[in-house]
């Protein structure tokens, strides 16, 4: 027990909810008269199409009202499923979503947007008994269901979440809701975050939590990662950490992180045996599409490996993208992310890509979402947390005593090799030391049948990151092997054969030959 408490912040206090905002003034539910009027309009519309029903009841949620109907014997479900637009027209609704049938109920659901939707405040979610009394390892309160019930799920059981939807429909707010839920439930000794934010503005709000909740590779300056090369290094570091943790679990004869940490707490395992307490690590990526478009497999492969193996050692992934297309959310990604959140999409194709079913295109936006867990769809109104609330939450935590430094992930720096020695001995070109791959890349460019090349050619040919490929292109340009980039960011190959190339090599490298 003594070994474990060395890693604890004994005086850490869970932040209060006083600075979170209530939205009761916007609570403007539909009246009973409006609900009854809608019931009658739905019944009349169905009757016009010779569809008889035996019962209809309404369940009002924060954003939509669910009308459950029970069709008379002999009525085909398909005849009701195709009437969404007609019902929307009759009750003057923005859109209507029909669930035919509702799983496990024997009824058909008609979801109609409320004329005055309610805002689900983060304060009410955090203070709810469902969240406060949750026994989940990593509880996440997402919002309210159609029945106005607080919805809490466990990230450990998820075990990874894919969030997608069109621009401006609530993805970033959803990520902040998930992060805030974990900050209110787990202390800095139990949980660490790895924030990856190519947009540079969404997750930077949490940078002040560096010495409390954030984790990074030692050679990185910033704890919130924004550059592709930093992301690549960090993902490789997480894979190394995963392998290390599995070896520790093997030595301790444990199958998962909870069993291992319990042995640490009870004193069965100690530092003398090279064992240490394992905090959960949650990796949050705000714009996955940008990383895939820039670095491709260098990003996708470690993410797939972590998604396949890391759950048992307490590493969980939350990935968000505004571009839910099949070239971004590939089959490998989907197979390893069974829990998916879809905000409003612009087309049925995008909904199919995220959820493997239609429905997300019929959502009404502003936090209206579909959650897919184990193939079951649940419609929720996501909680709302605004930027000032996040800033206050971060400030509340950062004022408390933290660790002396950020939680360090395994380094990705390799021992000095011949390549690094060669790189230091090489002469400068374009104001920088020549890359060790300069000769190989130059030869491949000249031998290529393409008259114009770009950074993608070098990335794919040599499995390099975007930044290094661009640096190599600059060096090739300075050496006169390729031209300056044109409007399409491609460069013309100026050297025609290997003889000309050897002359350029001889000129550049003559001073470094011994």
């Amino acid at each position: 027990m003594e070994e474990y408490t060395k890693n604890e912040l004994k005086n850490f206090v869970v932040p209060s909810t006083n600075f979170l905002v209530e939205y009761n003034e916007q609570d403007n539910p539909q009246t009973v008269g409006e609900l009854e009027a809608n019931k009658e309009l739905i019944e009349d519309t169905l009757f016009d199409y010779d569809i008889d029903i035996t019962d209809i009841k309404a369940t009002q949620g924060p954003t939509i009202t669910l009308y459950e109907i029970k069709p008379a014997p002999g009525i085909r479900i398909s005849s009701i499923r195709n009437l969404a637009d007609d019902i929307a027209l009759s009750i003057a609704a923005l859109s209507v979503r029909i669930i035919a049938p509702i799983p496990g109920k024997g009824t058909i659901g008609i979801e109609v947007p409320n004329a005055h939707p309610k805002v689900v405040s983060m304060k009410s979610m955090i203070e709810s008994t469902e969240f406060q009394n949750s026994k989940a390892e990593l509880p996440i309160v997402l919002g309210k269901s159609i029945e106005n019930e607080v919805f809490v799920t466990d990230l450990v059981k998820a075990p990874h979440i894919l969030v997608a939807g069109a621009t401006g429909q609530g993805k970033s707010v959803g990520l902040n809701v998930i992060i805030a839920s974990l900050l209110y439930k787990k202390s800095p000794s139990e949980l660490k975050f790895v924030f990856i934010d190519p947009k540079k503005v969404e997750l930077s709000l949490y940078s002040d939590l560096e010495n409390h909740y954030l984790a990074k590779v030692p050679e990185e300056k910033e704890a919130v990662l924004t550059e592709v090369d930093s992301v690549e290094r960090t993902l490789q570091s997480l894979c190394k950490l995963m392998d290390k943790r599995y070896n520790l679990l093997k030595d301790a004869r444990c199958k998962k992180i909870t069993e291992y940490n319990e042995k640490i707490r009870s004193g069965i395992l100690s530092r003398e045996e090279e064992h240490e307490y394992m905090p959960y690590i949650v990796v949050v990526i705000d714009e996955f599409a940008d990383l895939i478009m820039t670095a491709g497999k260098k990003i996708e492969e470690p993410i797939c490996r972590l998604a396949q193996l890391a759950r048992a050692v307490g590493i969980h992934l939350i990935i968000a993208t505004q571009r839910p297309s099949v070239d971004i959310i590939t089959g490998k990604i989907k197979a390893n992310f069974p829990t998916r959140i879809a905000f409003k999409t612009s087309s049925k194709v995008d909904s199919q890509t995220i959820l493997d079913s239609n429905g997300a295109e019929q959502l009404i936006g502003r936090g209206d979402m579909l959650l897919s867990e184990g193939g079951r769809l649940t419609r929720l109104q996501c909680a709302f947390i605004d930027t000032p609330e996040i800033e206050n939450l971060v400030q509340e935590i950062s004022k408390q005593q933290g660790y002396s430094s950020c939680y360090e992930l395994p380094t990705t720096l390799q021992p000095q090799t011949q390549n690094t020695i060669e790189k230091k001995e090489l002469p400068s070109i374009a104001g920088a030391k020549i890359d060790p791959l300069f000769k190989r890349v130059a030869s491949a460019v000249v031998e290529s049948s393409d008259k114009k090349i770009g950074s993608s050619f070098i990335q794919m040919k040599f499995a390099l990151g975007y930044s290094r490929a661009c640096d190599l292109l600059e060096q090739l340009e300075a050496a006169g092997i390729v031209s300056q980039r044109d409007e399409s960011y491609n460069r013309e190959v100026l050297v025609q054969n290997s003889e000309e190339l050897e002359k350029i090599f001889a000129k550049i490298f003559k001073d470094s030959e011994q």
Side-chain angles (χ1 to χ4, degrees), residues 186-214:
K186 290 294 177 180
S187 70
S189 60
E190 300 172 301
L191 173 68
K192 301 296 177 183
F193 287 99
V194 173
F195 287 132
I196 299 173
D197 182 15
K199 288 194 291 187
K200 304 182 181 182
V201 294
E202 294 292 347
L203 299 177
S204 59
L205 295 170
Y206 300 98
S207 58
D208 288 344
L209 299 182
E210 181 171 342
N211 291 350
H212 292 82
Y213 280 102
L214 303 194

Side-chain angles (χ1 to χ4, degrees), residues 472-493:
L472 278 161
L473 274 178
E474 294 292 338
Q475 293 182 3
L476 291 176
E477 179 192 333
I481 298 171
V482 298
S483 67
Q484 293 183 345
R485 66 188 185 187
D486 56 21
E487 293 179 356
S488 59
Y489 290 86
N490 289 323
R491 299 167 186 266
E492 184 179 351
V493 180

